[in-house]
Amino acid sequence: MPTVREAPDILSPEFAADPYPSYAVLRESYPLLWHEATGAYLVSRYEDVQLAFRDERFTTRNYDWQLEPVHGRTLVQLSGREHAVRRAMVAPAFRGRMLEERFLPVIEENARALIAPIRAAGTGTADLVADFATHFPINVIVDMLGLDKAEQPRFHSWYSSIVAYFGNLAQDPEVAAAGLRTREELAAYMIPVIRDRRARPGDDLLSSLCAAEIDGVRMSDEEIKAFISILFAAGGETTDKAISGLFGNLLARPAQLAAVREDRSLIGQALAETLRFTPPVQMIMRETAEDVELSGGVVPAGATVNCLIGAGNRDGSRFADPDTFDLFRTDLPARTAFSAAADHLAFALGRHFCVGALLAKAEVETGVNQLLDALPDLALRDGEVPAHEGVFTRGLTTLPVRFTPA
């Protein structure tokens, strides 16, 4: 008779070091597990995580305590018409003509600005995390909003504090206090800027948010500030880790890197597979509005459900050979990977699908293209084995590379 392994603890050092073996145990033996320390049910199978993202019995009320104390009331908490109206106000900036014509040049300029000193150093070495990925998305957002570029380090510090707050599964009081301080500091900075931009609009995202109106409804100063707060946190953290994760996955597989270098249309497929294989956001919470039956049992009404994206994305019932990175896989089409019809779970699904998915795709494609052009013969620095870190969000903290200097 087979022995059932003990249930993994998502707060353990072993899980933090490598969560994927624990995810496999959870999917197999504990698909619905009550986790006492975090007061949440853990859901690990693809079909259950997918259901939690798409089914209206799973609400986002959890963000009232998980996000609102540090962000203010944000788009991700809303539902029904209120959510639809607010989403319609912000969505145009992150897709279509506005993204391509107004903001793609901003993305390209920021990529060039970060790559130039790497090339100019003449050493033929770099750390793609410290020298590029960790700065790129924040710099882009600052420029899109028309904010002072000198404040980029400050915004980087703020978003790091915010991400730590809502990923504070162990409820560290110092992390919580830092997040609350950040809310006050960000509000003190942004509210006067928002008021000034209302009076003197420009050709930037902040001005567009101030002017947005649907059926006579406009966003208040506080709502705009809260959206900017979550834009920095979600847009910075995920894109940062997606870029470094994509390069980490390709550098470990030189044949696939060579294919992408030869055919840049494969960057989108490589990103989609990175989001499946090493998703920057490993878990997202929901709250049940009524009793819901999942494959492992029944979740009672009013419960917090921790949807384990990293586990669902490696579910063998959904993806062939799920523990292998393969940008050529046929069960993850790139054409839908950045829409609410995505097969991976990294952007959530349904009505709360990530509004910035196409912006992230544009940033990654631009950054990867420019880095491949600028850094010939790119490879991992000899002897380096980059490691991922993090539980709620997870990614590379360093990615040392070498290349042929210009």
Side-chain angles (χ1 to χ4, degrees), residues 12 22 33 74-75 77 81-82 87 90-91 117 121 153 188 197 234 272 281 290 385 387 402-403:
S12 69
S22 295
L33 177 68
T74 66
L75 178 69
Q77 293 170 257
R81 175 169 171 73
E82 186 181 18
R87 188 178 178 100
V90 304
R197 204 63 55 87
V281 178
E290 58 186 81
V385 183
R402 57 178 173 80
F403 55 92

Side-chain angles (χ1 to χ4, degrees), residues 5 81 106 110 113 168 171 208 236 250 258 279 289 295 311 317 323-324 339 362 366:
R5 291 180 55 184
R81 175 169 171 73
V106 173
N110 275 280
N168 188 20
Q171 300 180 21
S208 297
L250 291 179
S295 59
S317 70
D323 293 317
T324 297
S339 72
T366 299

Side-chain angles (χ1 to χ4, degrees), residues 149-360:
K149 290 185 179 183
E151 299 290 353
Q152 288 169 340
R154 195 175 181 189
F155 279 106
H156 189 279
S157 173
W158 281 337
Y159 104 70
S160 298
S161 178
I162 292 168
V163 169
Y165 181 93
F166 64 74
N168 188 20
L169 296 175
Q171 300 180 21
D172 184 321
E174 293 186 7
V175 171
L180 296 175
R181 285 196 303 272
T182 291
R183 174 176 176 168
E184 299 305 316
E185 292 171 5
L186 181 62
Y189 177 89
M190 282 304 312
I191 294 297
V193 175
I194 293 168
R195 290 172 179 167
D196 180 72
R197 204 63 55 87
R198 286 195 192 278
R200 296 183 293 178
D203 187 26
D204 55 67
L205 175 57
L206 181 53
S207 296
S208 297
L209 294 174
C210 290
E213 181 176 340
I214 293 180
D215 296 337
V217 177
R218 302 179 75 173
M219 287 191 287
S220 68
D221 293 353
E222 172 61 27
E223 286 176 318
I224 293 173
K225 186 275 299 178
F227 177 75
I228 290 170
S229 176
I230 203 164
L231 175 61
F232 274 112
E237 180 80 354
T238 56
T239 307
D240 168 356
K241 288 177 165 51
I243 292 172
S244 58
L246 185 153
F247 269 110
N249 288 327
L250 291 179
L251 287 165
R253 300 161 182 86
Q256 294 191 52
L257 175 60
V260 171
R261 185 184 288 280
E262 180 68 22
D263 180 1
R264 304 300 175 82
S265 70
L266 294 175
I267 294 175
Q269 289 178 230
L271 175 57
E273 177 65 345
T274 292
L275 294 172
R276 183 201 70 82
F277 186 68
T278 48
V281 178
Q282 292 276 307
M283 49 190 75
I284 290 178
M285 293 182 181
R286 291 289 186 261
E287 182 178 313
T288 48
E290 58 186 81
D291 292 0
V292 182
E293 184 173 359
L294 299 177
S295 59
V298 175
V299 182
T304 300
V305 178
N306 196 339
C307 305
L308 302 180
I309 292 170
N313 273 351
R314 300 242 191 145
D315 191 332
S317 70
R318 177 60 186 81
F319 298 104
D321 199 10
D323 293 317
T324 297
F325 180 90
D326 179 10
L327 70 88
F328 300 107
R329 66 170 52 250
T330 58
D331 50 10
L332 187 64
R335 67 181 182 277
T336 57
F338 306 96
S339 72
D343 294 282
H344 66 81
L345 304 166
F347 288 135
L349 298 168
R351 64 193 181 281
H352 285 287
F353 176 80
C354 176
V355 72
L358 291 176
L359 171 63

